[in-house]
Amino acid sequence: MKAILTSFIRFLLLCIVGSVAGGFFFMLYNGCVSYVIGSGGDLFSLKFFVDGILLAFPAMLFFVPMFLILPLMKHGLTVRCLGLLTIAVLSLAAWLFVVPLCAKGALETNVLFEKPASQLSPGYFRKINGKIYYFSNVDGNYVSGLRFENGFDARNSSSQDVQVLKDDYVVFERDIYGFSDPIVGENLKPPVVVSVLFLGMFSMVRSTFSACASGILNWLSFSSIMFALLFVGFLLSLSSWRLVNAFFIIFSTFAIIVLNYLYLNFYFSPLLNQFDNMGGFFIFLKNNFQLFMNVVIIIVLCVVGVISFYVSNKKNFERLIK
């Protein structure tokens, strides 16, 4: 009973703290990427905070099984089984019933749609589309000022390198990280690792919401990723060294997420397109590849877990047989 209660409390704390932290981060992120030098900015927005929670909860659920499974390594078999059962029930319930509510809320508030870029302020040099601009006046998308074709150094530029803008139409677009103002983006550009993780998780959440809206069967097929993440618990007895077990649990969790990300972003398309010429079962396999992939992962985790458990408890099994 204690194991069930402990896993339940940890699950609630992880979901609440993770979602609130994600909402706060998303709110600050939107405040930063929408900020324009020379204009007033507001980092705190209740709407962006709520939007962040809607995005953070599904993202958090991808890692909740891993975070809850790791503490079970220091307990015995009974506590592990009860803990894993509790984790599975809570995670699946949250995934199958709460995540669709997040998807519905996110679609209603247009969280997944890119917001238009903020209007840039005059009086600053900015690099836009590989060229340097200086705006003396900005009225919507119509600007006046100068455009430098070859940088700022007038000593190395001819008169043809500078073009005078007078009420020219310019499309303001956000960069790959979402920044409206190139000056802000250059100074707050996140490290490559952080940006890859952030963009990757956003892509996974977007795919999750898309699966929610595409029917029950597609949603259940997509949900096989959560089943695969839960079966990582079979690696608790992989080795007598807890550090080794922790490494493989963490590695397997990230491997499952990465493989599903690669499939959802069409990295497997060149391979899957070959199945069209094979007909029959292979076409069915192509249309349900994510489900098959996760089922194979589950089978591998089960086999590895059972074998490792048998090897580590071989003497006890021999005693029972005798």
Side-chain angles (χ1 to χ4, degrees), residues 239-257:
S239 171
S240 58
W241 291 1
R242 293 179 182 174
L243 186 61
V244 174
N245 294 336
F247 169 78
F248 279 103
I249 289 172
I250 295 172
F251 174 81
S252 299
T253 296
F254 278 91
I256 292 170
I257 295 173

Side-chain angles (χ1 to χ4, degrees), residues 150 153-158 161:
N150 297 318
D153 193 354
R155 294 173 298 178
N156 297 327
S157 300
S158 62
D161 293 328

Side-chain angles (χ1 to χ4, degrees), residues 69-124:
I69 289 171
L70 287 174
L72 295 178
M73 288 190 299
K74 60 183 179 180
H75 296 289
L77 180 60
T78 302
V79 175
R80 288 183 180 183
C81 292
L82 290 175
L84 289 174
L85 180 61
T86 305
I87 294 168
V89 171
L90 293 174
S91 298
L92 289 174
W95 180 264
L96 294 175
F97 300 108
V98 180
V99 170
L101 297 179
C102 293
K104 182 179 179 180
L107 292 175
E108 289 177 353
T109 55
N110 295 328
V111 176
L112 297 178
F113 294 97
E114 184 176 339
K115 308 298 186 296
S118 304
Q119 178 179 299
L120 299 181
S121 56
Y124 296 90

Side-chain angles (χ1 to χ4, degrees), residues 31-168:
C32 290
V33 298
S34 299
Y35 177 67
V36 174
I37 295 293
S39 64
D42 186 10
L43 292 177
F44 301 98
S45 168
L46 180 59
K47 179 186 182 305
F48 285 144
F49 178 71
V50 175
D51 289 346
I53 291 178
L54 295 176
L55 293 174
F57 184 77
M60 187 66 192
L61 279 181
F62 284 116
F63 300 97
V64 162
M66 178 188 73
F67 287 132
L68 294 180
I69 289 171
L70 287 174
L72 295 178
M73 288 190 299
K74 60 183 179 180
H75 296 289
L77 180 60
T78 302
V79 175
R80 288 183 180 183
C81 292
L82 290 175
L84 289 174
L85 180 61
T86 305
I87 294 168
V89 171
L90 293 174
S91 298
L92 289 174
W95 180 264
L96 294 175
F97 300 108
V98 180
V99 170
L101 297 179
C102 293
K104 182 179 179 180
L107 292 175
E108 289 177 353
T109 55
N110 295 328
V111 176
L112 297 178
F113 294 97
E114 184 176 339
K115 308 298 186 296
S118 304
Q119 178 179 299
L120 299 181
S121 56
Y124 296 90
F125 289 94
R126 293 181 174 90
K127 187 175 184 179
I128 303 175
N129 296 328
K131 299 177 181 179
I132 304 299
Y133 287 82
Y134 178 85
F135 300 137
S136 59
N137 182 62
V138 179
D139 184 11
N141 288 101
Y142 292 91
V143 301
S144 297
L146 301 174
R147 182 172 67 198
F148 299 83
E149 302 291 344
N150 297 318
F152 295 117
D153 193 354
R155 294 173 298 178
N156 297 327
S157 300
S158 62
S159 59
Q160 288 80 10
D161 293 328
V162 181
Q163 182 177 352
V164 178
L165 305 177
K166 182 63 176 179
D167 294 331
D168 284 36

